[in-house]
Amino acid sequence: AQKITQTQPGMFVQEKEAVTLDCTYDTSDQSYGLFWYKQPSSGEMIFLIYQGSYDEQNATEGRYSLNFQKARKSANLVISASQLGDSAMYFCAMREGRQAGTALIFGKGTTLSVSS
Amino acid sequence: GAVVSQHPSRVICKSGTSVKIECRSLDFQATTMFWYRQFPKQSLMLMATSNEGSKATYEQGVEKDKFLINHASLTLSTLTVTSAHPEDSSFYICSAYSGAPYNEQFFGPGTRLTVL
């Protein structure tokens, strides 16, 4: 079974609109971390937001927020007021266990296209 | 935040030759580094985990003799693709784990390998 599932291969949104990118995860660990990364065409991985499994509040970072629903094992990324520069591939990732020095497991990604 | 560099950023080589990719943590010591491979429009797949001063741990299906990893110092890990073939053409990304104060992983900008 996949650990991280991103069901949307591609998403299209107009400038200034909000968009939600879906992510569900599967783990039996009680302690884990969830991440979202943006990968533009240059290939670099840009960290966007992090949610710890014990965090009670949804994480927010500027225009990015993470809709964390633990019981449903979902960690959707919400981008408010989309900009043309948001066009990129977006990856949801998970780190299992308490140790920060554990490798990340990535989903297949969602390509976001923002139009004017 | 902490900075991780990769060199070269892009390399083209002939089939049968070996290619070395360097991953450096520039302003922190990385006890653990990770190597990922990404095929076009696909996810990042973990190849191996490298700990300073010890042998790398490879993921299932990754050939140890083909992808040689050396983590000789706390700031440098190298990935050598030996006897490269066209199917090894891919985007290789490293990440480095920083202990305190960041206690987080940071990605390098990636290396695009093309084998002719």
Side-chain angles (χ1 to χ4, degrees):
Chain A
Q2 284 191 20
K3 293 270 188 175
I4 296 287
T5 302
Q6 293 180 255
T7 58
Q8 307 153 315
M11 288 286 285
F12 297 87
V13 68
Q14 286 207 310
E15 256 186 313
K16 301 179 186 176
E17 290 185 350
V19 62
T20 298
L21 306 184
D22 294 342
C23 173
T24 57
Y25 60 92
D26 182 25
T27 181
S28 55
D29 285 355
Q30 295 301 310
S31 181
Y32 52 88
L34 297 160
F35 300 76
W36 277 93
Y37 285 87
K38 172 184 177 182
Q39 187 181 43
S41 56
S42 60
E44 60 180 315
M45 296 294 285
I46 301 170
F47 167 75
L48 296 178
I49 198 165
Y50 168 80
Q51 179 88 38
S53 58
Y54 294 114
D55 295 340
E56 294 186 351
Q57 294 206 342
N58 287 342
T60 60
E61 290 285 349
R63 294 188 297 114
Y64 304 107
S65 60
L66 198 151
N67 185 358
F68 181 44
Q69 298 191 31
K70 197 170 182 176
R72 294 186 180 183
K73 292 190 173 178
S74 77
N76 298 340
L77 176 71
V78 180
I79 305 175
S80 64
S82 297
Q83 301 172 356
L84 294 177
D86 293 336
S87 294
M89 197 144 182
Y90 288 79
F91 289 98
C92 178
M94 176 173 65
R95 181 181 63 215
E96 294 182 291
R98 292 180 177 276
Q99 299 298 323
T102 306
L104 301 184
I105 303 164
F106 286 87
K108 292 186 175 181
T110 296
T111 300
L112 176 65
S113 300
V114 181
S115 59
S116 56
Chain B
V3 178
V4 176
S5 71
Q6 276 185 246
H7 178 79
S9 57
R10 190 178 288 266
V11 58
I12 301 172
C13 70
K14 292 183 179 179
S15 188
T17 60
S18 294
V19 174
K20 181 185 283 188
I21 301 170
E22 294 185 346
C23 176
R24 290 182 187 273
S25 56
L26 296 185
D27 49 3
F28 66 97
Q29 293 184 330
T31 53
T32 304
M33 288 185 174
F34 305 96
W35 287 95
Y36 296 85
R37 179 168 55 184
Q38 184 183 29
F39 292 109
K41 305 291 185 185
Q42 294 191 25
S43 183
L44 279 74
M45 300 301 296
L46 179 67
M47 298 176 67
T49 300
S50 148
N51 291 298
E52 187 264 339
S54 62
K55 290 185 179 179
T57 302
Y58 291 81
E59 294 300 298
Q60 193 172 10
V62 177
E63 300 175 56
K64 300 178 185 182
D65 295 334
K66 181 164 188 63
F67 299 100
L68 301 178
I69 292 172
N70 186 300
H71 193 161
S73 77
L74 286 172
T75 58
L76 174 65
S77 176
T78 59
L79 167 67
T80 302
V81 183
T82 63
S83 187
H85 288 97
E87 57 265 31
D88 299 324
S89 298
S90 188
F91 193 58
Y92 293 88
I93 308 176
C94 71
S95 74
Y97 168 62
S98 160
Y102 302 113
N103 201 31
E104 203 37 84
Q105 296 179 34
F106 299 92
F107 282 88
T111 296
R112 196 165 300 279
L113 170 64
T114 303
V115 185
L116 302 177

